[in-house]
Amino acid sequence: QKEVEQNSGPLSVPEGAIASLNCTYSDRGSQSFFWYRQYSGKSPELIMSIYSNGDKEDGRFTAQLNKASQYVSLLIRDSQPSDSATYLCAVNPNQGGKLIFGQGTELSVKP
Amino acid sequence: KAGVTQTPRYLIKTRGQQVTLSCSPISGHRSVSWYQQTPGQGLQFLFEYFSETQRNKGNFPGRFSGRQFSNSRSEMNVSTLELGDSALYLCASSVSQYEQYFGPGTRLTVT
């Protein structure tokens, strides 16, 4: 079992729709969870962090965390073509600055 | 505030050679983590330095090493390069163990 799993996609949504990205992790001791966006040829860009169960909203982005189910998700409302990128889920297994990444979900937003 | 910088941005090396990559973190950030990104394996953690000490290490051979200086700048070294070392090498800085911000990366090609 991979430590952090994401649907590889590609996930295709129409412009203006809600994109839902999911991630599961195996280490129950994990405390910190992050979503990164990576455009082709660029480095990952941090878009959300979440540490407590529940929802965290930032603009069009909402991160959801359920530690009991070991599940993290990212919702993107009013998706725009500029949101087309690979979204990486990252988990800190309570080991200092070590992040474990999922394989990423490729999102395509069609005009 | 200036972001994370990495030098060089591109490198071409021959098998058997060694290479040194450099990373300057965001001002005030004391933790620097290094990652390798390849199409097949995704983003994998190499090691983390905090206050000039290696705090965490990933599952990479001893050919991969690093260090951190008193100004928090970090270098990683790969000795006896192999074709499989061709990758994007990313460093990320953080205040401690929370949000990590990535540099643009160094694209290493081993021929």
Side-chain angles (χ1 to χ4, degrees), chain B residues 14 20 30 47 73 86 90:
Chain B
T14 304
T20 299
R30 295 167 64 190
F47 31 66
R73 190 177 70 85
S86 294
L90 293 156

Side-chain angles (χ1 to χ4, degrees), chain A residues 12-66:
Chain A
S12 183
V13 300
E15 185 174 355
I18 295 175
S20 177
L21 305 161
N22 305 314
C23 171
T24 58
Y25 61 95
S26 60
D27 187 339
R28 283 196 170 273
S30 300
Q31 298 293 323
S32 310
F33 307 87
F34 308 92
W35 284 98
Y36 286 84
R37 177 176 63 196
Q38 187 172 26
Y39 292 113
S40 180
K42 300 293 186 182
S43 61
E45 172 193 9
L46 178 66
I47 53 173
M48 289 290 283
S49 60
I50 187 165
Y51 304 99
S52 305
N53 280 330
D55 295 0
K56 179 181 177 183
E57 187 174 317
D58 184 0
R60 295 186 297 112
F61 299 97
T62 298
Q64 299 174 316
L65 173 61
N66 184 325

